[in-house]
Amino acid sequence: MDISVVERLVQNSETKILQIILDGLGDIHSATGQTPLESANTPNLDKLAKESSLGLVDPIFPGITPGSGPGHLALFGYDPLINDIGRGVLEALGIGLTMKKEAVYARGNFCTLDENKIVLDRRAGRIPTEKNEKICEKINIILKDYKELDAKVYTVKEHRFVLEILDDKLDFRLNDADPQKVDLPYKYIEEKLPEAKQSADKINKLIDYILKGINGDRVNGILLRGFARDPGLATFEERFKLTPIAIAQYPMYKGLASLVGMTLAHVGPNMIDLAKALEENWNKGYDYFFFHVKKTDSYGEDGNFEAKKHVIEEFDKIIPAITKLNPDVILITGDHSTPCPMKAHSWHPVPIMIYSKNVRADNLVFSEKNCRLGSISRINAIYEIPLLLAHSGKLDKYGA
Amino acid sequence: MDISVVERLVQNSETKILQIILDGLGDIHSATGQTPLESANTPNLDKLAKESSLGLVDPIFPGITPGSGPGHLALFGYDPLINDIGRGVLEALGIGLTMKKEAVYARGNFCTLDENKIVLDRRAGRIPTEKNEKICEKINIILKDYKELDAKVYTVKEHRFVLEILDDKLDFRLNDADPQKVDLPYKYIEEKLPEAKQSADKINKLIDYILKGINGDRVNGILLRGFARDPGLATFEERFKLTPIAIAQYPMYKGLASLVGMTLAHVGPNMIDLAKALEENWNKGYDYFFFHVKKTDSYGEDGNFEAKKHVIEEFDKIIPAITKLNPDVILITGDHSTPCPMKAHSWHPVPIMIYSKNVRADNLVFSEKNCRLGSISRINAIYEIPLLLAHSGKLDKYGA
């Protein structure tokens, strides 16, 4: 879905856009016949919703379950089927690394190999994070003496780490160094295209160097997957003439926001801190605010209906602090559904509501059931930004 | 609509998919204010629908009336605007011919020409099928002696037949041998592209040979249209890792199913035979079942409201036999609408319901009116397969 005409139609306007993502918001009906959103007590949200248009959103297209990366790209107005963010980059964003333009990133697992380099355990017994940190420290020391590549590893957690290689010539079109299953021989990297052969060779040498350096009994190998670079996306400013700021608490979402050129606000750890950060930054020249609530997704993944419902109720309590800022348009949705009964992301379309003074109001409260009936009907997430720009008076007419 | 990402995300899962097509299901409101689906007494369907997501489906896009070929291609997940099945092939499928990879097929009409080869009757007075059979027999006898092309004709009905030419070099980019109107001169085949000239010449020679051979007073000419080959579609197995079987009674639908690589079940002629065939094949290693009910369309074409309604009620009676097999997902829809007041296929969106344990249930019975209000909203038929795969746990997440 090509929305590039939007870029030609964007015009200046003294208005402010607020896009609120309750991560994994959508749900399916539990035994009680209700979803967390339907059963939550949300007087402020209800009031706002009645003056809003409601609908349902497909992050990718019907049936596709998105990860956080594609889910957010879509609602930022970037087609996630075209703009692929590699796994290595996502893992790096997830631990808060600042993307370096010249870097290649890969996801790493510490693993266990036998004397013949047969993979015995792809996760090295899920070592504790502290052990991981010590091993990374050790590897980084020996990497300082390695002349052929400028590489560094970063702890994620348990057996997981990120490998960063600073080399703007390195070709990242590489297959994974991972046999995917245990009891198979260790697999070195292979190039996906002949042009990447030299890069594959270089990284395989680096792997051997690291393997020699680890030399632990249980942790004696590394698997590397998802080689990728910063996708080099055009920024929000370039595409939509917006000056964006991200009000987000978790590294992954801050990272995704930074990929499209958003400034990152300083935000404390609680729900109220999100509202505070929004208020603090409201009059600092930004006209687009990405506002991200993580825990709806976390509790969905845990299958914890009550906790997910509680997060929605906590969010409801900060709505007055948000509306008193008078955003010209407020959009509330999720990046995907995370139904409690499934304990995972899903393909179910996500409730959306758009509030502004010029919206076609549906006079319905915000719920999966009502969103079926709303004026927005069912749209693709890629249209959220055009709708936000439109409702805030930032889109000129197309044609005469 | 490119759904190819689905092919990358398909994963194995011990689940079974049932896609039920009530051909031409959708209707518009008659004088009674109801459609056949709305007025039918369907207690079993109602019960299932209440635990399902409802919606509306566009086979192609709003406003486009599909034939059976494009209608089915779409709901099999093949974009019907890209994957064109030629008319010759459809006509051959419709009489149950097994596609030969080296063959070119054309639809034929027996017609009446005057002594100057002016077309007097494009259908030769709609001769009875028995007469058609005798003429075809006669033509096939003389074609055995024809050395330049290996050709054969097959009776369809009345004045219609299929021409099959076995020649894998023949270029089928040919215009029709048909002036389209009476009182115009007979029109030989012309090539659409210069490369096809030799093929056009060959078939025109064949036409002259057949014309000489027919030599009947009323039936003395043939019109040929829609030259085409087996489109060579990637199979269901190749695209979706599914092992599919078609539970269908009519040649056209069995033929369409076989084009995408489905096994064809042996099915008796009645509604109950469909349920029996489903049960017989349920545990034979298939994980996708295409289930086709024809008569909803036939009675729609006849404008017979009561009979169409009765077919839906007959279908309702076999639902318990279907649900007792415990399909992981059941989708019920049509390939297009065939409104009784119009006595023809139409562009109206088709009711759809999807039942599975992880569906967002709408608690509504299945009808055109309620489908407007369902969670599925309005989707394109191309998304039926992604949704079936998703609900049956056969689709991995897209991105991290």
Side-chain angles (χ1 to χ4, degrees), chain A residues 362-385:
Chain A
D362 290 331
N363 199 26
L364 293 168
V365 303
F366 195 42
S367 71
E368 283 83 351
K369 272 200 190 79
N370 285 343
C371 283
R372 302 175 319 188
L373 311 174
S375 298
I376 298 174
S377 187
R378 182 168 178 166
I379 60 166
N380 193 286
I382 203 97
Y383 299 119
E384 290 184 29
I385 292 291

PDB file of all heavy atoms in Angstrom, chain A residues 362-385:
ATOM      1  N   ASP A 362     -19.188   8.404  16.711  1.00  0.00           N
ATOM      2  CA  ASP A 362     -20.056   7.224  16.665  1.00  0.00           C
ATOM      3  C   ASP A 362     -20.929   7.057  17.906  1.00  0.00           C
ATOM      4  O   ASP A 362     -21.818   6.206  17.925  1.00  0.00           O
ATOM      5  CB  ASP A 362     -19.207   5.963  16.487  1.00  0.00           C
ATOM      6  CG  ASP A 362     -18.576   5.890  15.103  1.00  0.00           C
ATOM      7  OD1 ASP A 362     -19.179   6.431  14.162  1.00  0.00           O
ATOM      8  OD2 ASP A 362     -17.484   5.298  14.977  1.00  0.00           O
ATOM      9  N   ASN A 363     -20.642   7.843  18.954  1.00  0.00           N
ATOM     10  CA  ASN A 363     -21.405   7.739  20.205  1.00  0.00           C
ATOM     11  C   ASN A 363     -21.413   6.323  20.779  1.00  0.00           C
ATOM     12  O   ASN A 363     -22.432   5.818  21.228  1.00  0.00           O
ATOM     13  CB  ASN A 363     -22.841   8.250  19.998  1.00  0.00           C
ATOM     14  CG  ASN A 363     -23.512   8.598  21.311  1.00  0.00           C
ATOM     15  OD1 ASN A 363     -22.831   8.920  22.306  1.00  0.00           O
ATOM     16  ND2 ASN A 363     -24.821   8.513  21.367  1.00  0.00           N
ATOM     17  N   LEU A 364     -20.251   5.698  20.739  1.00  0.00           N
ATOM     18  CA  LEU A 364     -20.094   4.332  21.258  1.00  0.00           C
ATOM     19  C   LEU A 364     -18.889   4.306  22.195  1.00  0.00           C
ATOM     20  O   LEU A 364     -17.934   5.050  21.987  1.00  0.00           O
ATOM     21  CB  LEU A 364     -19.818   3.357  20.113  1.00  0.00           C
ATOM     22  CG  LEU A 364     -20.931   3.092  19.093  1.00  0.00           C
ATOM     23  CD1 LEU A 364     -20.372   2.351  17.882  1.00  0.00           C
ATOM     24  CD2 LEU A 364     -22.075   2.290  19.732  1.00  0.00           C
ATOM     25  N   VAL A 365     -18.920   3.449  23.204  1.00  0.00           N
ATOM     26  CA  VAL A 365     -17.722   3.309  24.038  1.00  0.00           C
ATOM     27  C   VAL A 365     -16.738   2.374  23.338  1.00  0.00           C
ATOM     28  O   VAL A 365     -17.088   1.624  22.419  1.00  0.00           O
ATOM     29  CB  VAL A 365     -18.045   2.834  25.481  1.00  0.00           C
ATOM     30  CG1 VAL A 365     -19.028   3.782  26.141  1.00  0.00           C
ATOM     31  CG2 VAL A 365     -18.533   1.400  25.496  1.00  0.00           C
ATOM     32  N   PHE A 366     -15.489   2.450  23.794  1.00  0.00           N
ATOM     33  CA  PHE A 366     -14.378   1.781  23.098  1.00  0.00           C
ATOM     34  C   PHE A 366     -14.313   0.307  23.495  1.00  0.00           C
ATOM     35  O   PHE A 366     -14.006  -0.012  24.649  1.00  0.00           O
ATOM     36  CB  PHE A 366     -13.083   2.509  23.491  1.00  0.00           C
ATOM     37  CG  PHE A 366     -11.888   2.197  22.626  1.00  0.00           C
ATOM     38  CD1 PHE A 366     -11.995   2.108  21.238  1.00  0.00           C
ATOM     39  CD2 PHE A 366     -10.634   2.033  23.205  1.00  0.00           C
ATOM     40  CE1 PHE A 366     -10.876   1.856  20.455  1.00  0.00           C
ATOM     41  CE2 PHE A 366      -9.512   1.780  22.430  1.00  0.00           C
ATOM     42  CZ  PHE A 366      -9.636   1.689  21.052  1.00  0.00           C
ATOM     43  N   SER A 367     -14.590  -0.581  22.575  1.00  0.00           N
ATOM     44  CA  SER A 367     -14.514  -2.016  22.847  1.00  0.00           C
ATOM     45  C   SER A 367     -14.418  -2.752  21.522  1.00  0.00           C
ATOM     46  O   SER A 367     -14.759  -2.202  20.466  1.00  0.00           O
ATOM     47  CB  SER A 367     -15.769  -2.490  23.576  1.00  0.00           C
ATOM     48  OG  SER A 367     -16.882  -2.473  22.686  1.00  0.00           O
ATOM     49  N   GLU A 368     -13.945  -3.990  21.570  1.00  0.00           N
ATOM     50  CA  GLU A 368     -13.877  -4.802  20.348  1.00  0.00           C
ATOM     51  C   GLU A 368     -15.265  -4.885  19.707  1.00  0.00           C
ATOM     52  O   GLU A 368     -15.405  -4.777  18.489  1.00  0.00           O
ATOM     53  CB  GLU A 368     -13.344  -6.210  20.651  1.00  0.00           C
ATOM     54  CG  GLU A 368     -11.828  -6.293  20.859  1.00  0.00           C
ATOM     55  CD  GLU A 368     -11.405  -5.932  22.274  1.00  0.00           C
ATOM     56  OE1 GLU A 368     -12.250  -5.462  23.065  1.00  0.00           O
ATOM     57  OE2 GLU A 368     -10.210  -6.128  22.592  1.00  0.00           O
ATOM     58  N   LYS A 369     -16.280  -5.115  20.540  1.00  0.00           N
ATOM     59  CA  LYS A 369     -17.650  -5.274  20.010  1.00  0.00           C
ATOM     60  C   LYS A 369     -18.091  -4.010  19.276  1.00  0.00           C
ATOM     61  O   LYS A 369     -18.616  -4.083  18.170  1.00  0.00           O
ATOM     62  CB  LYS A 369     -18.636  -5.543  21.151  1.00  0.00           C
ATOM     63  CG  LYS A 369     -18.786  -7.006  21.516  1.00  0.00           C
ATOM     64  CD  LYS A 369     -20.092  -7.246  22.284  1.00  0.00           C
ATOM     65  CE  LYS A 369     -20.127  -8.661  22.857  1.00  0.00           C
ATOM     66  NZ  LYS A 369     -19.319  -8.794  24.093  1.00  0.00           N
ATOM     67  N   ASN A 370     -17.889  -2.857  19.902  1.00  0.00           N
ATOM     68  CA  ASN A 370     -18.345  -1.616  19.279  1.00  0.00           C
ATOM     69  C   ASN A 370     -17.503  -1.211  18.079  1.00  0.00           C
ATOM     70  O   ASN A 370     -18.008  -0.567  17.161  1.00  0.00           O
ATOM     71  CB  ASN A 370     -18.365  -0.487  20.307  1.00  0.00           C
ATOM     72  CG  ASN A 370     -19.538  -0.626  21.256  1.00  0.00           C
ATOM     73  OD1 ASN A 370     -20.490  -1.350  20.975  1.00  0.00           O
ATOM     74  ND2 ASN A 370     -19.473   0.055  22.396  1.00  0.00           N
ATOM     75  N   CYS A 371     -16.218  -1.574  18.133  1.00  0.00           N
ATOM     76  CA  CYS A 371     -15.345  -1.159  17.027  1.00  0.00           C
ATOM     77  C   CYS A 371     -15.768  -1.793  15.705  1.00  0.00           C
ATOM     78  O   CYS A 371     -15.521  -1.234  14.636  1.00  0.00           O
ATOM     79  CB  CYS A 371     -13.889  -1.464  17.365  1.00  0.00           C
ATOM     80  SG  CYS A 371     -13.220  -0.241  18.522  1.00  0.00           S
ATOM     81  N   ARG A 372     -16.450  -2.957  15.785  1.00  0.00           N
ATOM     82  CA  ARG A 372     -17.011  -3.570  14.579  1.00  0.00           C
ATOM     83  C   ARG A 372     -17.997  -2.637  13.892  1.00  0.00           C
ATOM     84  O   ARG A 372     -18.249  -2.745  12.699  1.00  0.00           O
ATOM     85  CB  ARG A 372     -17.833  -4.825  14.919  1.00  0.00           C
ATOM     86  CG  ARG A 372     -17.133  -5.906  15.636  1.00  0.00           C
ATOM     87  CD  ARG A 372     -18.119  -7.014  15.996  1.00  0.00           C
ATOM     88  NE  ARG A 372     -19.401  -6.493  16.466  1.00  0.00           N
ATOM     89  CZ  ARG A 372     -20.373  -7.220  16.988  1.00  0.00           C
ATOM     90  NH1 ARG A 372     -20.214  -8.527  17.105  1.00  0.00           N
ATOM     91  NH2 ARG A 372     -21.489  -6.693  17.390  1.00  0.00           N
ATOM     92  N   LEU A 373     -18.636  -1.787  14.706  1.00  0.00           N
ATOM     93  CA  LEU A 373     -19.768  -0.994  14.218  1.00  0.00           C
ATOM     94  C   LEU A 373     -19.393   0.444  13.885  1.00  0.00           C
ATOM     95  O   LEU A 373     -20.240   1.232  13.489  1.00  0.00           O
ATOM     96  CB  LEU A 373     -20.877  -0.986  15.277  1.00  0.00           C
ATOM     97  CG  LEU A 373     -21.272  -2.346  15.847  1.00  0.00           C
ATOM     98  CD1 LEU A 373     -22.279  -2.176  16.975  1.00  0.00           C
ATOM     99  CD2 LEU A 373     -21.844  -3.240  14.757  1.00  0.00           C
ATOM    100  N   GLY A 374     -18.135   0.782  14.085  1.00  0.00           N
ATOM    101  CA  GLY A 374     -17.733   2.184  13.997  1.00  0.00           C
ATOM    102  C   GLY A 374     -17.562   2.695  12.569  1.00  0.00           C
ATOM    103  O   GLY A 374     -17.488   1.924  11.610  1.00  0.00           O
ATOM    104  N   SER A 375     -17.491   4.015  12.481  1.00  0.00           N
ATOM    105  CA  SER A 375     -17.360   4.691  11.181  1.00  0.00           C
ATOM    106  C   SER A 375     -16.080   4.337  10.445  1.00  0.00           C
ATOM    107  O   SER A 375     -16.011   4.467   9.226  1.00  0.00           O
ATOM    108  CB  SER A 375     -17.320   6.204  11.375  1.00  0.00           C
ATOM    109  OG  SER A 375     -18.483   6.663  11.939  1.00  0.00           O
ATOM    110  N   ILE A 376     -15.048   3.974  11.191  1.00  0.00           N
ATOM    111  CA  ILE A 376     -13.769   3.694  10.524  1.00  0.00           C
ATOM    112  C   ILE A 376     -13.813   2.347   9.818  1.00  0.00           C
ATOM    113  O   ILE A 376     -13.066   2.107   8.892  1.00  0.00           O
ATOM    114  CB  ILE A 376     -12.601   3.745  11.546  1.00  0.00           C
ATOM    115  CG1 ILE A 376     -12.493   5.141  12.144  1.00  0.00           C
ATOM    116  CG2 ILE A 376     -11.285   3.330  10.918  1.00  0.00           C
ATOM    117  CD1 ILE A 376     -11.482   5.273  13.266  1.00  0.00           C
ATOM    118  N   SER A 377     -14.730   1.480  10.254  1.00  0.00           N
ATOM    119  CA  SER A 377     -14.830   0.138   9.681  1.00  0.00           C
ATOM    120  C   SER A 377     -13.498  -0.584   9.883  1.00  0.00           C
ATOM    121  O   SER A 377     -12.919  -0.476  10.947  1.00  0.00           O
ATOM    122  CB  SER A 377     -15.246   0.225   8.211  1.00  0.00           C
ATOM    123  OG  SER A 377     -15.504  -1.057   7.697  1.00  0.00           O
ATOM    124  N   ARG A 378     -13.011  -1.293   8.889  1.00  0.00           N
ATOM    125  CA  ARG A 378     -11.752  -2.036   9.055  1.00  0.00           C
ATOM    126  C   ARG A 378     -10.727  -1.470   8.082  1.00  0.00           C
ATOM    127  O   ARG A 378     -10.932  -1.508   6.874  1.00  0.00           O
ATOM    128  CB  ARG A 378     -12.000  -3.519   8.765  1.00  0.00           C
ATOM    129  CG  ARG A 378     -10.779  -4.409   8.952  1.00  0.00           C
ATOM    130  CD  ARG A 378     -11.187  -5.878   8.939  1.00  0.00           C
ATOM    131  NE  ARG A 378     -10.036  -6.761   9.078  1.00  0.00           N
ATOM    132  CZ  ARG A 378     -10.127  -8.064   9.363  1.00  0.00           C
ATOM    133  NH1 ARG A 378     -11.313  -8.627   9.545  1.00  0.00           N
ATOM    134  NH2 ARG A 378      -9.052  -8.804   9.481  1.00  0.00           N
ATOM    135  N   ILE A 379      -9.645  -0.921   8.626  1.00  0.00           N
ATOM    136  CA  ILE A 379      -8.631  -0.310   7.759  1.00  0.00           C
ATOM    137  C   ILE A 379      -7.269  -0.929   8.047  1.00  0.00           C
ATOM    138  O   ILE A 379      -7.066  -1.620   9.043  1.00  0.00           O
ATOM    139  CB  ILE A 379      -8.522   1.220   7.954  1.00  0.00           C
ATOM    140  CG1 ILE A 379      -8.137   1.562   9.412  1.00  0.00           C
ATOM    141  CG2 ILE A 379      -9.814   1.917   7.555  1.00  0.00           C
ATOM    142  CD1 ILE A 379      -7.686   2.994   9.601  1.00  0.00           C
ATOM    143  N   ASN A 380      -6.337  -0.663   7.164  1.00  0.00           N
ATOM    144  CA  ASN A 380      -4.967  -1.083   7.380  1.00  0.00           C
ATOM    145  C   ASN A 380      -4.242  -0.025   8.205  1.00  0.00           C
ATOM    146  O   ASN A 380      -4.490   1.171   8.051  1.00  0.00           O
ATOM    147  CB  ASN A 380      -4.278  -1.284   6.037  1.00  0.00           C
ATOM    148  CG  ASN A 380      -2.973  -2.022   6.188  1.00  0.00           C
ATOM    149  OD1 ASN A 380      -1.991  -1.455   6.664  1.00  0.00           O
ATOM    150  ND2 ASN A 380      -2.951  -3.288   5.820  1.00  0.00           N
ATOM    151  N   ALA A 381      -3.334  -0.475   9.068  1.00  0.00           N
ATOM    152  CA  ALA A 381      -2.615   0.437   9.964  1.00  0.00           C
ATOM    153  C   ALA A 381      -1.857   1.536   9.219  1.00  0.00           C
ATOM    154  O   ALA A 381      -1.636   2.618   9.757  1.00  0.00           O
ATOM    155  CB  ALA A 381      -1.650  -0.350  10.845  1.00  0.00           C
ATOM    156  N   ILE A 382      -1.490   1.265   7.990  1.00  0.00           N
ATOM    157  CA  ILE A 382      -0.734   2.244   7.207  1.00  0.00           C
ATOM    158  C   ILE A 382      -1.515   3.553   7.039  1.00  0.00           C
ATOM    159  O   ILE A 382      -0.938   4.607   6.792  1.00  0.00           O
ATOM    160  CB  ILE A 382      -0.369   1.635   5.831  1.00  0.00           C
ATOM    161  CG1 ILE A 382       0.838   2.336   5.212  1.00  0.00           C
ATOM    162  CG2 ILE A 382      -1.540   1.669   4.867  1.00  0.00           C
ATOM    163  CD1 ILE A 382       2.121   1.634   5.447  1.00  0.00           C
ATOM    164  N   TYR A 383      -2.846   3.480   7.198  1.00  0.00           N
ATOM    165  CA  TYR A 383      -3.672   4.676   7.019  1.00  0.00           C
ATOM    166  C   TYR A 383      -3.833   5.493   8.300  1.00  0.00           C
ATOM    167  O   TYR A 383      -4.512   6.518   8.296  1.00  0.00           O
ATOM    168  CB  TYR A 383      -5.038   4.292   6.442  1.00  0.00           C
ATOM    169  CG  TYR A 383      -4.918   3.624   5.085  1.00  0.00           C
ATOM    170  CD1 TYR A 383      -5.359   2.332   4.883  1.00  0.00           C
ATOM    171  CD2 TYR A 383      -4.319   4.295   4.019  1.00  0.00           C
ATOM    172  CE1 TYR A 383      -5.213   1.711   3.636  1.00  0.00           C
ATOM    173  CE2 TYR A 383      -4.168   3.686   2.785  1.00  0.00           C
ATOM    174  CZ  TYR A 383      -4.617   2.390   2.596  1.00  0.00           C
ATOM    175  OH  TYR A 383      -4.463   1.793   1.383  1.00  0.00           O
ATOM    176  N   GLU A 384      -3.220   5.061   9.392  1.00  0.00           N
ATOM    177  CA  GLU A 384      -3.344   5.846  10.627  1.00  0.00           C
ATOM    178  C   GLU A 384      -2.713   7.222  10.484  1.00  0.00           C
ATOM    179  O   GLU A 384      -3.297   8.230  10.897  1.00  0.00           O
ATOM    180  CB  GLU A 384      -2.722   5.088  11.810  1.00  0.00           C
ATOM    181  CG  GLU A 384      -3.539   3.859  12.202  1.00  0.00           C
ATOM    182  CD  GLU A 384      -2.998   3.147  13.437  1.00  0.00           C
ATOM    183  OE1 GLU A 384      -2.390   3.803  14.309  1.00  0.00           O
ATOM    184  OE2 GLU A 384      -3.179   1.919  13.527  1.00  0.00           O
ATOM    185  N   ILE A 385      -1.522   7.270   9.915  1.00  0.00           N
ATOM    186  CA  ILE A 385      -0.843   8.571   9.771  1.00  0.00           C
ATOM    187  C   ILE A 385      -1.623   9.499   8.829  1.00  0.00           C
ATOM    188  O   ILE A 385      -1.881  10.667   9.180  1.00  0.00           O
ATOM    189  CB  ILE A 385       0.633   8.387   9.329  1.00  0.00           C
ATOM    190  CG1 ILE A 385       1.445   7.738  10.461  1.00  0.00           C
ATOM    191  CG2 ILE A 385       1.259   9.716   8.900  1.00  0.00           C
ATOM    192  CD1 ILE A 385       1.670   8.601  11.696  1.00  0.00           C
TER     193      ILE A 385
END
